[in-house]
Amino acid sequence: MRKKFLAVFIFTLSFLWINQASIFANDEQEASTSVYVIPVENEVERGLVAFLDRSIKEAEEEFADQIVFEINSPGGRVDSAGDIATLISSTDIPTAAYIVNEALSAGSYIALQADEIYFKPGATMGASGVITGDGNAASKKAQSAWIAAMTSAAEKNGRDPLYAQAMADPSIDLPEYRAGEGEFLTLRAQEALEVEYAEGIASDRQELFEKMEITNPTVTETNPTFSENLARFITNPVVVPILLSIASIGLIVELYSPGFGVAGGMGVAALFLFFYGHLVAGLAGYESLVLMLAGIVLIVLEIFLPSGILGIVGGGAILGAMLTSGADMGHMAFSIGIALLVAMILAIILFKKIDTDKGIFRHIVLKDQTSTEKGYISNVNRMELIGKEGTALTYLRPSGTAVFDEERLDVVSEGSFIAQGSIIKIVKVEGSRLVVREVKKED
């Protein structure tokens, strides 16, 4: 009896211990907060949009509790910033912007989309004026639209829109924050805290999570893949015309070279990188890639089967694929224009100005000629046929066939029609061309 009682007692204790351990483990699991940290670094462009799209979707699929955008950006494209704002606004996961260095221009607009904003000591936010690609102020229409977007972003999360407007509009005078008339507002960390554009200042992630009241965080940090980094580099507005210039130079040089060699390979590789980067960034569709490949194939065929038509159609296909691959067709047309201009200038330098007798190009430029002095003969010299008479085997209109001393030859008249069976005489030999004249019968 005592043994049975002891066994029941031990079983009960074991059950209670296992149950308590399970409850404790569940409590620990419930106390853990899943935090996704997504870096927003460098210039704001289409490649960054693709990366953030993937990262936010990954956080949603993993049922993350919080997303923190670590921002260090000097700004960039307004349209790309708008796409990023849509991504942040569309997610149901709470978001926070942690400005680790600077959030300027389009970077400040992205920060304003987050539910909360935190600064690292020394970080800044603002200077959000809109400028064009050549560094000049944008049109009044574009500036007005941008100021309205900054205002809406501030109001969305209950922030005073005046400071967002001052970041984008230099006519707003806020001298207490070094933003006199004609200057864009840039807030430091403490100033952002004062005007309630920041929920707190944190020197590192641990302090950030404490201020956000996140206990036991499980941090997952996303990073751009090699393809995404390559896409961000290739789609940079400065890199695009350079890449297209390399492609056009390579293909133009190849047209002057026999067969297909290094120059053509360089041009094709540059085009492939251009379309690959824009495909990864989500700018180019597969239809653009197919159009580009078709254009390259036609140009290669033009090299081996010269006709002119294949080259023109192929070049048009590639240009069409380029224009449809850019986020801004105007900028893409400008980049293509630069590439063609550079290619033309370098083509003139390569083929007109470089001394092929003394320069480095003497090693790669073929200067041998198949001249008669060197023993080369393009065709058989038939000067001995001049004066010979024969019979036209066909009508000469003006070309046809005749026989001379039982030798059948292709001939051409001086321009007049000669009937079949007429007696003719060879009056001129021009290379392989035999010119004949009808011999009139004397009465």
Side-chain angles (χ1 to χ4, degrees), residues 333-403:
F334 177 73
S335 299
I336 293 173
I338 291 177
L340 293 178
L341 179 62
V342 170
M344 290 173 60
I345 293 174
L346 289 184
I348 293 173
I349 294 175
L350 286 173
F351 298 110
K352 298 294 184 181
K353 301 297 183 182
I354 294 180
D355 186 356
T356 57
D357 293 324
K358 298 179 181 179
I360 60 172
F361 284 87
R362 70 182 187 276
H363 300 296
I364 62 176
V365 176
L366 180 64
K367 293 176 288 187
D368 289 339
Q369 298 178 349
T370 57
S371 61
T372 305
E373 292 77 8
K374 294 184 179 181
Y376 294 97
I377 300 176
S378 60
N379 51 58
V380 178
N381 193 330
R382 301 302 303 272
M383 299 296 292
E384 76 278 2
L385 295 176
I386 296 178
K388 280 188 173 294
E389 293 186 359
T391 304
L393 296 180
T394 63
Y395 292 105
L396 304 185
R397 299 176 177 162
S399 62
T401 306
V403 61

Side-chain angles (χ1 to χ4, degrees), residues 92 205 274 278 331:
D92 294 328
R205 284 186 190 173
F274 169 83
H278 285 71
H331 178 267

Side-chain angles (χ1 to χ4, degrees), residues 3 39 140 153 156 168 179 211 225 239 254 274 302 322 344 347-348 356 376 389 401 412:
K3 290 183 179 180
K140 291 184 178 180
K156 184 183 70 171
K211 289 185 178 293
T225 63
V239 176
E254 191 61 40
F274 169 83
E302 175 67 28
M322 290 177 182
M344 290 173 60
I348 293 173
T356 57
Y376 294 97
E389 293 186 359
T401 306
V412 62

